[in-house]
Amino acid sequence: MDKFVVAGNGPLNGAIEASGAKNAALPILCSALLSDEPLHVTNVPRLWDIATTRKLLAQMGCTVEQPGAHEMVVDARPITTCVAPYELVRTMRASILVLGPLVAARGEAHVSLPGGCAIGARPVNLHLMGLEAMGAEITLEGGFIHAKAGRLRGARIVFDTVTVTGTENLMMAAVLADGETVLENAAREPEVVDLARCLRAMGAKIEGEGTTTIRVQGVAKLHAATHRVLPDRIETGSYLVAAAVTRGRVRVDRTDPAMLDAVLVKLQQAGAKIATGTDFIEVDMQGRRPDAVNIHTMPHPGFPTDMQAQFMTLNCVADGVGVIKETIFENRFMHAVELMRLGADIQIEGNTAVVTGRERLQAAPIMATDLRASASLVIAALAADGETFIDRIYHMDRGYEDIEGKLSALGAKIKRVSKLI
């Protein structure tokens, strides 16, 4: 099992490029199941979750080719099974995204229930409710979702709460349904918009993505297409926070500032000088310590929950006291305990954390508990005196492509070492 060894050694400086967005690439790759013609996806990040998705699609019988390091061509014509087994779904909850496409295009799906999640329960009841409204017969047996349907029919679906994967699953199902489907209280995340763009390139009729109401007019079939995955806004934001925490100057290229408005506002409040262009963002702390900021996570376009852990780290070394309120997941402060091992001053009550900044943190052995927590711990280690050993970094490999290479390019002292089990 690998781990990181990180030595705090001063400000990060330089430029790197953003990778493609994991949370956009996963549903887009699953959307290939909707067509009998190939889908060519570019700007695909090299991550464990992407490899798991490729394995899942291949197990179903799809042909999955990689003509380039960041490209995949998925052809669902030779599909032989509509089963998503537990051993794959349990390692990546996004596997539930095959449910809608399989029911819509193949008339059936047998998908394992995802099970528990380290950062809180993420039930799939809204996915199932929507498919039933569209005419699917749903049964739960032996830990599996069994769904059957003839051609799905359009329906008006109102989500009780905002759900990104629910919106994506039902939008994919709706593109082949008979008639119009209206998704109310739909997720507005950029990754949902990117999926809609891909589906439209395949011949789908979708409008309203990026708003709370998405309308889909079903078509008989989809065709071949090529789609480039949008940049990863969470990866981008993580490196910008790393610049602020280390009092450095970092530019992220091949990204989109429009996706990070809420994050950039908080970085400005922290004292960062920010420059943006059509495809870059630069944060410059001009050598000064960040100011503490208050965070309240919300669905997009509010402050993203996936950036909460990184800003908790910022507050740990900031001047002042910052209050963080987590409203999306009920158990997303697990990184706080590890940050306290580095000397952070954090008080937690329910879904609120009060962080009092310290000038520096102190190195200690720590452990990643989930994907975004792992990023926050690496950033914290960059601002700690001594060498910090970070265990369970397989969480990092799920969502950050070559983080040690990118941080090293910015001047960080970080190395990956193998640990004998």
Side-chain angles (χ1 to χ4, degrees):
M1 186 180 296
D2 290 352
K3 60 183 175 181
F4 281 145
V5 181
V6 184
N9 68 312
L12 297 181
N13 283 284
I16 55 173
E17 292 184 351
S19 298
K22 172 182 81 81
N23 288 341
L26 296 178
I28 286 169
L29 291 171
C30 292
S31 75
L33 294 167
L34 291 163
S35 177
D36 283 333
E37 297 182 21
L39 175 63
H40 184 187
V41 187
T42 64
N43 202 33
V44 179
R46 301 180 70 178
L47 303 168
W48 277 19
D49 279 7
I50 298 296
T52 299
T53 301
R54 176 178 181 170
K55 185 176 181 180
L56 176 59
L57 294 171
Q59 179 178 290
M60 291 178 179
C62 296
T63 299
V64 186
E65 299 177 349
Q66 286 190 270
H70 295 91
E71 297 179 70
M72 283 193 184
V73 179
V74 184
D75 189 341
R77 278 175 293 187
I79 191 170
T80 56
T81 179
C82 295
V83 176
Y86 176 66
E87 55 266 27
L88 290 178
V89 176
R90 70 181 177 88
T91 66
M92 186 187 68
R93 291 184 58 88
S95 300
I96 193 69
L97 288 165
V98 302
L99 179 62
L102 286 174
V103 175
R106 311 290 166 173
E108 63 175 329
H110 305 279
V111 180
S112 171
L113 286 164
C117 176
I119 60 172
R122 291 193 266 185
V124 298
N125 59 304
L126 298 180
H127 304 234
L128 306 186
M129 172 203 72
L131 288 173
E132 285 182 323
M134 297 171 73
E137 296 180 4
I138 307 288
T139 57
L140 303 178
E141 184 179 351
F144 273 79
I145 301 166
H146 300 272
K148 289 188 177 181
R151 187 181 183 187
L152 295 173
R153 60 177 181 269
R156 181 173 179 265
I157 299 167
V158 181
F159 294 109
D160 289 343
T161 58
V162 177
T163 165
V164 174
T165 54
T167 299
E168 292 168 339
N169 233 337
L170 297 181
M171 184 167 63
M172 287 190 283
V175 298
L176 294 180
D178 182 15
E180 183 181 66
T181 298
V182 180
L183 304 179
E184 299 278 9
N185 197 26
R188 300 165 62 185
E189 272 69 6
E191 294 79 15
V192 174
V193 174
D194 204 35
L195 173 61
R197 290 172 181 155
C198 177
L199 292 170
R200 193 178 294 115
M202 297 167 70
K205 296 181 179 179
I206 302 172
E207 60 182 29
E209 70 276 9
T211 75
T212 57
T213 301
I214 299 175
R215 295 181 180 274
V216 184
Q217 188 67 43
V219 298
K221 64 179 182 178
L222 300 183
H223 52 67
T226 298
H227 180 79
R228 179 178 175 84
V229 174
L230 88 173
D232 194 315
R233 61 192 172 105
I234 304 302
E235 182 205 37
T236 297
S238 298
Y239 288 116
L240 297 178
V241 171
V245 166
T246 63
R247 311 183 189 186
R249 179 179 181 179
V250 169
R251 172 174 165 144
V252 181
D253 293 316
R254 297 182 67 180
T255 192
D256 184 355
M259 297 191 297
L260 285 152
D261 286 342
V263 170
L264 296 184
V265 166
K266 291 301 174 181
L267 284 169
Q268 284 180 318
Q269 290 177 5
K273 180 181 179 182
I274 296 175
T276 63
T278 56
D279 64 350
F280 77 88
I281 307 171
E282 183 180 82
V283 161
D284 186 359
M285 291 301 295
Q286 299 179 318
R288 64 184 296 271
R289 183 183 180 190
D291 297 321
V293 295
N294 296 328
I295 299 294
H296 188 125
T297 64
M298 296 284 287
H300 191 80
F303 188 91
T305 181
D306 281 352
M307 286 299 302
Q308 176 257 107
Q310 298 89 316
F311 270 84
M312 182 178 286
T313 292
L314 183 147
N315 280 342
C316 288
V317 297
D319 182 12
V321 178
V323 178
I324 299 175
K325 188 171 184 180
E326 173 59 58
T327 69
I328 306 299
F329 294 117
E330 69 274 15
N331 191 26
R332 206 166 198 179
F333 284 153
M334 292 186 295
H335 49 279
V337 176
E338 302 301 313
L339 289 170
M340 284 185 252
R341 287 179 52 80
L342 299 176
D345 183 350
I346 305 171
Q347 303 294 323
I348 296 176
E349 184 174 345
N351 68 340
T352 301
V354 179
V355 186
T356 303
R358 297 184 182 279
E359 184 75 25
R360 292 287 293 178
L361 299 175
Q362 298 296 320
I366 53 178
M367 178 180 69
T369 53
D370 62 72
L371 170 55
R372 303 308 171 185
S374 64
S376 73
L377 298 180
V378 169
I379 294 170
L382 295 171
D385 292 329
E387 283 192 336
T388 299
F389 291 78
I390 307 175
D391 217 337
R392 294 191 180 180
I393 63 169
Y394 55 83
H395 290 293
M396 180 75 66
D397 295 330
R398 288 185 49 229
Y400 288 87
E401 181 178 1
D402 189 26
I403 189 170
E404 64 268 39
K406 291 185 179 183
L407 285 174
S408 294
L410 297 174
K413 290 184 178 180
I414 177 173
K415 61 182 177 181
R416 182 186 294 254
V417 297
S418 296
K419 183 181 73 171
L420 296 179
I421 298 176

